[in-house]
Amino acid sequence: MRTYYIAGNWKMNMTASEARDFAQKLVKKLDGSDVKIMVAPPFTALESVSSIVRGTSIVLGAQNMCHKESGAHTGEVSADMLLDLDVSTVILGHSERRAIYKETDSHINEKVRLALAKGLEVIFCVGETLEERESGKVEDVVLTQVREGLASVEASQLSSLVIAYEPVWAIGTGKTATPEDANAVHKLIRDEMRRSFGDEAADAMIIQYGGSVKPDNAAELMSQSDIDGALVGGASLDVDSFAAIAQFNA
Ligand code: PGA
């Protein structure tokens, strides 16, 4: 049985003090939930949120990480720096990193391998653009991202890997894939994991959906056979909305 996993990606929002207040409210609402909950504040708010969620069931995540362990990488943040703040999860390969910061599959793969080797849980994001969908390339694009992004990942590391399917055209736009269309891509990804790592690992794998997940569409998305959670952007910035998504099955 897979446990639902709802993650909040705050993107470039909230100062450290705003994040602290917000995290306090979240803990009141969601500590002890029966689904797994993660929040990913910006780097500058990790320490303040860490102190609030410590000892609760809410897990702390980061939105990115450097592909190298240390050294001359001005402006970057390392895996060890995240671990030092009790970060347990890192989002890698988000479509904004791919599109705006030109992160390639092989660069993302370096990050994924380093994060897993360091013992971090990885939420690895994949998804097609509208143009790619309209030209019938969903399968090709998503499977290439999965294969290249996860190259050389070992079967023993899969329990720390989550995949988030986020169609780029649904992120921050208010458009969502229909639950059936989203589920079809989730199945595609799970079948690819089955081919690479076997039934047991593929069946245990959490595959989140992301892209305009809101309280009013969460339950329907989560009812699909291969959708195991959500990576939530905009709606994670409102305590009540995020809590309502996390409580989709209440
Ligand atoms: P959204 O963002 O919920 O605002 O569409 C999702 C994401 O980018 O992870």
Side-chain angles (χ1 to χ4, degrees):
M1 258 306 272
R2 303 188 288 267
T3 305
Y4 285 105
Y5 185 173
I6 308 293
N9 172 12
W10 296 359
K11 306 192 180 181
M12 197 171 68
N13 295 289
M14 290 209 248
T15 62
S17 54
E18 287 166 349
R20 183 180 302 112
D21 292 348
F22 189 91
Q24 265 157 353
K25 291 182 192 143
L26 266 188
V27 165
K28 278 208 191 96
K29 288 213 174 231
L30 291 177
D31 186 23
S33 295
D34 53 0
V35 304
K36 181 171 174 180
I37 310 277
M38 181 277 260
V39 290
F43 291 131
T44 48
L46 283 173
E47 187 165 16
S48 59
V49 175
S50 181
S51 67
I52 306 293
V53 300
R54 189 169 297 132
T56 75
S57 62
I58 297 173
V59 167
L60 185 63
Q63 299 172 20
N64 187 25
M65 187 197 93
C66 187
H67 64 300
K68 294 290 180 195
E69 282 205 62
S70 65
H73 291 278
T74 302
E76 290 290 327
V77 172
S78 74
D80 287 335
M81 293 169 188
L82 299 181
L83 289 164
D84 188 47
L85 294 178
D86 294 334
V87 168
S88 60
T89 302
V90 62
I91 299 168
L92 296 175
H94 190 278
S95 64
E96 287 150 20
R97 301 293 321 169
R98 292 176 188 265
I100 307 170
Y101 300 99
K102 309 296 173 214
E103 292 192 14
T104 61
D105 288 325
S106 66
H107 185 66
I108 296 162
N109 177 248
E110 275 192 80
K111 295 185 183 201
V112 168
R113 285 188 288 133
L114 178 58
L116 291 172
K118 287 284 182 181
L120 284 159
E121 174 185 77
V122 170
I123 297 182
F124 167 63
C125 305
V126 297
E128 81 288 354
T129 63
L130 187 58
E131 200 190 346
E132 288 162 342
R133 174 161 284 258
E134 285 175 345
S135 53
K137 291 192 189 139
V138 176
E139 180 166 343
D140 191 32
V141 168
V142 169
L143 291 184
T144 301
Q145 289 173 342
V146 168
R147 285 176 192 141
E148 296 192 3
L150 300 182
S152 302
V153 167
E154 287 161 26
S156 62
Q157 299 176 313
L158 284 192
S159 58
S160 300
L161 180 75
V162 172
I163 298 182
Y165 168 58
E166 301 201 298
V168 178
W169 49 271
I171 296 180
T173 58
K175 294 181 192 160
T176 28
T178 66
E180 295 74 21
D181 283 350
N183 197 50
V185 182
H186 283 234
K187 268 191 174 15
L188 189 79
I189 294 169
R190 200 178 303 284
D191 284 345
E192 175 62 18
M193 301 310 287
R194 203 176 295 289
R195 280 190 292 276
S196 305
F197 299 104
D199 286 345
E200 207 180 317
D203 288 332
M205 170 133 232
I206 302 294
I207 307 180
Q208 295 173 326
Y209 173 78
S212 299
V213 177
K214 302 277 184 283
D216 62 1
N217 60 24
E220 209 189 346
L221 286 160
M222 298 308 128
S223 71
Q224 297 293 315
S225 60
D226 285 275
I227 301 185
D228 310 313
L231 181 55
V232 186
S236 75
L237 296 171
D238 179 276
V239 177
D240 292 331
S241 294
F242 189 62
I245 292 169
Q247 291 158 351
F248 68 91
N249 55 0

